[in-house]
Amino acid sequence: METQNIATTPFDGQKPGTSGLRKKVKVFQQPHYLENFVQAIFDTQTDLEGGTLVVGGDGRYFNRDAIQVILRMAAANGVSKILVGRGGIFSTPAVSCVIRKYKTRGGIVLSASHNPGGPDEDFGIKFNAANGGPAPESVTDAIYERTRTIDRYLTLDTPAIDLDALGTLKLGDAEVDVLDPVADYADLMESLFDFNAIHQLFNSGHFSMRFDAMHAVTGPYAVEILENRLGAMPGTVMNAEPKEDFGGGHPDPNLAHAKELVALTRGQDGLDFGAASDGDGDRNMILGKNFFVTPSDSLAVLAANAHQTPGYATGIRGIARSMPTSQAANRVADFLGVECFETPTGWKFFGNLLDAGRITLCGEESFGTGSDHVREKDGLWAVLFWLNLLAVRQQSVAEIVTDHWRRFGRNFYTRHDYEGVDLEAAEGLMDHLRILLPSLTGKKLGDQTVSYADDFAYTDPIDGSTSERQGIRIGFESGARIVYRLSGTGTAGATLRVYLEYFEPDPARHQQETQTAMQPLILIARELAQIEARTGRCEPDVIT
Ligand code: G16
């Protein structure tokens, strides 16, 4: 079959953000737009020629079309074998699992994660390296540079191939293996957690739970693992059927977007356990009866209890958290006598530490938790970890977390998001803070004294690469912190994120309501950044 060499010209703005290239579907549907980016991957990742590539996505609108384009281009660019999930489906952690299990040279993941899907909504694409993790900045920068000069792409003139039947097909000189997207991932989960103990918990007659797949990719994974393998009641997985538009919802597992699930955990008859995952299955939210576990606390609790699960029975080597994530994990690391790293936002920054064996667990405030079992954050993994702890500790979610606070103190934590803010106004706000930074140390703001103020910069301890301007940090003598960042995953205007944290050692004060307890710090943060004056917003759109 003859390779077609198609002439093209560059598009502006194909620079990957926090997690790949995310744009509106309509942007991706422009002739040559997707092709240019994909060709830039093949032109820069020359190892892929003659190797195996994994391709899959979260099933959102445009997933199927994009996969056909990528398969043809992969074959035309000399990839010898392509592993693709049935129906074009793979969750993000499953792609990572499959890359590692079959030792492929990388993977292409199609997802805009927790962003809504549909013809007028979002789409995304990212490249994962041979370690199974998101490409580091050196690679995404190279891909971006290539998109700026691209003048042709390679493809084949073939009809769409059938992705709905398992088996091996020929595409040009390449072989396409259509795989069960769930099996390898489910086996990996079974190797890490005590499935017998969880099975007994499910059959004890005194445990109720729901997992909300939010009509996104984890539906089939959760049904297989929770209902088929672990014996949870049919229907335990709600919104289990993946839909191209996520049923019109916003597949972001947080208190604002998983309302139906949250309501089921409330009240006297509330569920004992509720959990949810996002569009592509890498995020998680953990709820107990009338209880929300912040992602920062979740990381700290998992780290403190990891030895109680089979996969981590020998202990953990170290922990990493993204900079805006609370410092609760640091306290556990100190107690365990292991290292704790503070990295910029973005899962890609954990890759080197995981590969070098410096850390076992890592997590982010943005509902992401994971370990060295793959190189992506992993929603169902976190859910199974919690279920394993509930089963062996025979305690409720609230008991486990409040016990944790008693042992380590509580890091009160909240994030306030101002979405769809005018880009110039948001950048002006950040510049204003940058100008203030040198004058802040020693200054009193409200009842807090600033102990440091900087624009976070990170030097990777493994390869020495540096990343600057990763968010404004203002630390106070009390241990409290305010962090300001602009999101790198949005597709419209800017999203200002304000992360707030303060430490409370006294158990008598651990039960306060978070927003009330944090009000003084919230006011300091708003005033310092002149949020209302600069953005016109007096309240955040989303509070988590
Ligand atoms: C992505 C990244 C995460 C990051 C999150 C939020 O998550 O993989 O590492 O924490 O975005 O980023 P931002 O604050 O820049 O919007 P996901 O689930 O969208 O892939």
Side-chain angles (χ1 to χ4, degrees), residues 198-215:
I198 302 174
H199 189 270
Q200 276 172 26
L201 176 71
F202 285 173
N203 287 284
S204 62
H206 55 75
F207 181 77
S208 55
M209 81 163 277
R210 288 282 181 287
F211 175 87
D212 188 352
M214 304 187 88
H215 287 305

Side-chain angles (χ1 to χ4, degrees), residues 46-87:
T46 47
D47 261 13
L48 294 173
E49 195 176 339
T52 303
L53 176 74
V54 184
V55 181
D58 63 11
R60 67 178 57 227
Y61 185 83
F62 195 55
N63 192 61
R64 279 179 176 267
D65 296 346
I67 287 195
Q68 297 290 346
V69 168
I70 294 168
L71 292 178
R72 289 187 196 107
M73 288 185 63
N77 277 280
V79 173
S80 351
K81 190 170 182 171
I82 306 149
L83 308 180
V84 57
R86 185 180 41 217

Side-chain angles (χ1 to χ4, degrees), residues 18-19 22 113-114 278 280 282-283 345-347 364-366 377 485-489 497 499:
T18 310
S19 184
R22 289 193 191 162
S113 188
H114 52 287
D278 69 333
D280 61 330
D282 56 1
R283 296 184 174 206
T345 294
W347 205 260
E364 297 189 282
E365 51 64 41
S366 54
K377 56 186 182 277
R485 262 187 80 245
L486 297 187
S487 160
T489 56
R497 304 203 194 285
Y499 313 81

Side-chain angles (χ1 to χ4, degrees), residues 49-299:
E49 195 176 339
T52 303
L53 176 74
V54 184
V55 181
D58 63 11
R60 67 178 57 227
Y61 185 83
F62 195 55
N63 192 61
R64 279 179 176 267
D65 296 346
I67 287 195
Q68 297 290 346
V69 168
I70 294 168
L71 292 178
R72 289 187 196 107
M73 288 185 63
N77 277 280
V79 173
S80 351
K81 190 170 182 171
I82 306 149
L83 308 180
V84 57
R86 185 180 41 217
I89 295 290
F90 264 132
S91 76
T92 293
V95 168
S96 190
C97 161
V98 169
I99 291 175
R100 294 171 69 77
K101 181 165 178 174
Y102 298 103
K103 301 194 170 31
T104 77
R105 298 199 184 154
I108 293 179
V109 189
L110 301 169
S111 169
S113 188
H114 52 287
N115 297 3
D120 296 317
E121 300 294 353
D122 294 352
F123 192 74
I125 176 168
K126 68 173 183 164
F127 177 67
N128 278 28
N131 71 348
E137 274 187 341
S138 54
V139 171
T140 53
D141 286 350
I143 293 171
Y144 172 55
E145 277 313 312
R146 181 64 192 134
T147 66
R148 286 152 54 99
T149 55
I150 196 138
D151 55 3
R152 61 94 186 90
Y153 63 85
L154 307 181
T155 189
L156 300 179
D157 184 15
T158 53
I161 66 169
D162 179 10
L163 294 177
D164 293 311
L166 299 179
T168 304
L169 303 159
K170 250 348 222 173
L171 183 64
D173 294 334
E175 211 171 73
V176 178
D177 271 2
V178 181
L179 302 181
D180 172 354
V182 176
D184 292 313
Y185 175 82
D187 291 349
L188 177 61
M189 292 303 111
E190 204 160 346
S191 75
L192 294 172
F193 298 112
D194 188 343
F195 271 36
N196 285 333
I198 302 174
H199 189 270
Q200 276 172 26
L201 176 71
F202 285 173
N203 287 284
S204 62
H206 55 75
F207 181 77
S208 55
M209 81 163 277
R210 288 282 181 287
F211 175 87
D212 188 352
M214 304 187 88
H215 287 305
V217 78
T218 47
Y221 292 85
V223 168
E224 169 61 14
I225 295 172
L226 298 173
E227 296 184 8
N228 299 347
R229 297 200 186 190
L230 286 164
M233 265 187 356
T236 295
V237 182
M238 54 193 267
N239 301 320
E241 189 198 335
K243 295 191 175 161
E244 287 198 331
D245 66 348
F246 308 117
H250 193 139
D252 198 357
N254 61 33
L255 296 175
H257 296 305
K259 283 210 172 76
E260 191 188 353
L261 175 73
V262 174
L264 291 173
T265 62
R266 294 280 158 88
Q268 266 220 316
D269 299 325
L271 298 169
D272 297 307
F273 185 70
S277 191
D278 69 333
D280 61 330
D282 56 1
R283 296 184 174 206
N284 74 90
M285 175 171 69
I286 303 294
L287 302 165
K289 184 181 290 198
N290 298 311
F291 199 91
F292 163 64
V293 185
T294 69
S296 294
D297 275 345
S298 182
L299 173 65

